[in-house]
Amino acid sequence: MTATAIGATQTPLQLLPDALNGSFKLVPAIMVTAMLLLFLSIGYVFRVTDTDDLWVAGRSIGNVENGMAIGANWMSAASYLGMAALIALSGYYGLAFVVGWSTGYFILLIFLAAQMRRFGKYTAPDFVGDRFDSDTARAIAALTTILIGFVYAVGQARGMGLVGIYVFGGDYATMVILLMAITVGYLALSGMLGATKNMAVQYVILIVAFLAGLYAVGFTQGYSTVLPQIEYGAMLDQLGTEFTEPFTSGSYYLWIATAFSLIVGTCGLPHVLVRFYTVESERTARWSTVWGLFFICLLYLSAPAFAAFGTDLYAKNVGNVYGANGMSGAEGDVIVVLASQLANLPTWFVGLVAAGGIAAAIATTAGLFIAASSAAAHDIYTNIVNPDATQRQQLLVGRATIVALGAIVTLTALDPPALVGELVAYAFSLAGLVLFPMFFLGLWWENTNRQGALAGMTTGLLIWFTAIVNEVLPAYVDVLADAAGESGAIVPIYADVFPAIGAALAGTPIVFAVTIAVSYATDEPGEDIKRLVRQCHSPEPMGQQQSAEDVVTDGGSDDVATDGGSEDVATDGGEDTTEA
Amino acid sequence: MPETHTQSSDNTDYQATDAEADVDYLDQEVNIFKPSTPFMRDHLRVVWAMFALWAVVVFGPVTATAIAPGVMTDVTVLGFPLHYALTAIGAPGGALVLSLVYARKRDQLDDKYGIDHGTDAPATDDEAAEPAATDGGVDE
């Protein structure tokens, strides 16, 4: 009845992908290692020294390169593995993920990208904290960032565990633990080496692995020649009606709710926004979003084709895809690798496809953990708990966060509540409910104030937690399971309106309403905050190293403020940023 | 890019540039429903129009399928049932095309208001050179 029930109609989720050939394979194992080492060494070659560089790569990256970085950031196990899985298992409903995860970039482009670049802060907590002039708001945003990292990473851990079975053999639990350990090791190394500049290369490697798999399967099996992204259409009628028939595994409302949630989630995800700080101007922010969407579309137009090929191969070689003894959720989540294996491609080649999936999962998890550790060390610990924290203490808190998060993610991933794509979608729900309304209202309505933001974010968190407790936790907590009974949700009607996977459709408008109403009921924000917002919308160019705050504070008099683009001010602003 | 710039400078838009010089953007209210400057009014007109198109591209196919499932699933395009093609290829592809159109329109708006983000901005020479090359690539 709800989203969780779609992929795996039979709970608990079957954890071994039976059809996958699980044994240790030397060449693929070397490939996984080589990919990760390559990411690291490129990161080392282009390493950065000061912190400003680490965060935003010196704000000097151009359109195409930043577009690829957006693509690489985007390409986690959810895109690489999870999307094809959802399409194969849930048919037309799976397309809600394709649509939601790609078209959201347009909203980001027209409403947020350039304005965010002008605001010029590095992280979501920084934006929220500065825009609403509140350490509490900053802490809530930081907490949300950590929660998003956690939920997102559970999906990645499941993905790497499942694909790890193909590469290293062994059972699911061992693989999750081993690969999460590798992730934390990778994180330690990449943190030391400063791996920001290698995103473009990472994108190229991952997309090549994915497309090579698709083309090879399509070509060897006679499905396609030059354009599998279109050619799979001709085989759709042989796949069983479940593959294309609309609204069989998810209602119209659930489809819309899912797509909407993923769209607003895209606009609220902290690690997506940080990519706009790396560009030289707001114009580059716009064009690199266009390029980013192009690079994302390359994968997203290919995933349904891969799913179609995989589904057909599964039906021919393994058995029924749909129905009681059909493809399991675990098999679905590795369909990309499974398709390559069932097409009898050489082991090293299947290994390449698998290695791409694992590398995508590890790199994404590393990025999420870095964001979470900075949120914990900088935004929560230093800003609220201990304002006098030394560099050493901050580092300790940051590292402790990573270790703790790694442990919790590993534990949760041992018994994951849903498919890779669904798990990641929970994180999007959260981002869309809590952060997106703050970004949007914060940038587009200058009278949004601190009280409004606090009320709105609390409402968003509440809606999300309720949806998760209602629908996802019953699988873990016996008391809740009893309360939930047959339907799987404690309050079925709440799950219908606020499905965990698409809670933002009904929830985000509520958060908007609360934020606006409370902002109206309380005092308007101060003139300095308003000027900050206005600066984000002014068409006047800004210096490369400037943030809106620099312009507004430097410009005590109107003249200077208007001349914000002039060189003197720009240089001063740049220095301020580095100190702060 | 330089072509469009000269083009718009030649006609009446040039006056808008002069008028804009007087606006102090830090004194103008920001409210998405109440654009307070000519620039913002022009910009929001583009934004809302494109947003409407986007909503149709993204939610149109699935809604049409819910309303008329028979027609949407029976008609085939390149082997695809119509609803599948419009959703799997039409929506992401459509959003990509719309993004491109928006970015171009926004650049034209920059030209109209005489805004320059680096191509020949009064920045240092080496800073100006790189964006010019990159932007040129995009326009082709």
Side-chain angles (χ1 to χ4, degrees), chain A residues 231-248:
Chain A
E231 287 173 81
Y232 76 97
M235 61 183 287
L236 284 181
D237 53 350
Q238 303 151 30
L239 288 180
T241 53
E242 288 90 343
F243 197 89
T244 53
E245 201 178 320
F247 315 128
T248 45

Side-chain angles (χ1 to χ4, degrees), chain A residues 63 92 103 106 111 230 232-233 243-244 252 255 282-283 286-287 291 293 444 446 534 539 541 544 558 561, chain B residues 24-26 28-30 32 47 54 63 79-80 83-84 87 99 106-107 110 115-117 127 135 138:
Chain A
N63 290 339
Y92 186 70
T103 60
F106 178 75
F111 288 116
I230 301 287
Y232 76 97
F243 197 89
T244 53
Y252 172 70
W255 201 105
E282 53 171 298
R283 189 169 176 203
R286 285 193 294 273
W287 279 106
W291 277 106
L293 183 52
W444 281 100
E446 62 179 31
R534 291 165 189 167
Q544 189 177 345
D558 283 358
Chain B
D24 183 350
Y25 288 95
L26 294 187
Q28 303 296 326
E29 188 192 357
V30 170
I32 195 165
V47 165
W54 171 89
T63 308
F80 290 97
H83 75 292
Y84 205 90
T87 315
S99 301
R106 184 61 178 68
D107 280 356
D110 278 355
I115 302 154
D116 208 315
H117 284 293
E127 253 179 16
D135 290 345
V138 170

Side-chain angles (χ1 to χ4, degrees), chain A residues 26-50:
Chain A
L26 185 64
V27 181
I30 293 173
M31 280 175 145
V32 173
T33 320
M35 269 195 200
L36 292 173
L37 285 178
L38 189 64
F39 292 171
L40 285 176
S41 51
I42 295 163
Y44 182 73
V45 171
F46 292 103
R47 70 189 173 281
V48 287
T49 41
D50 69 87

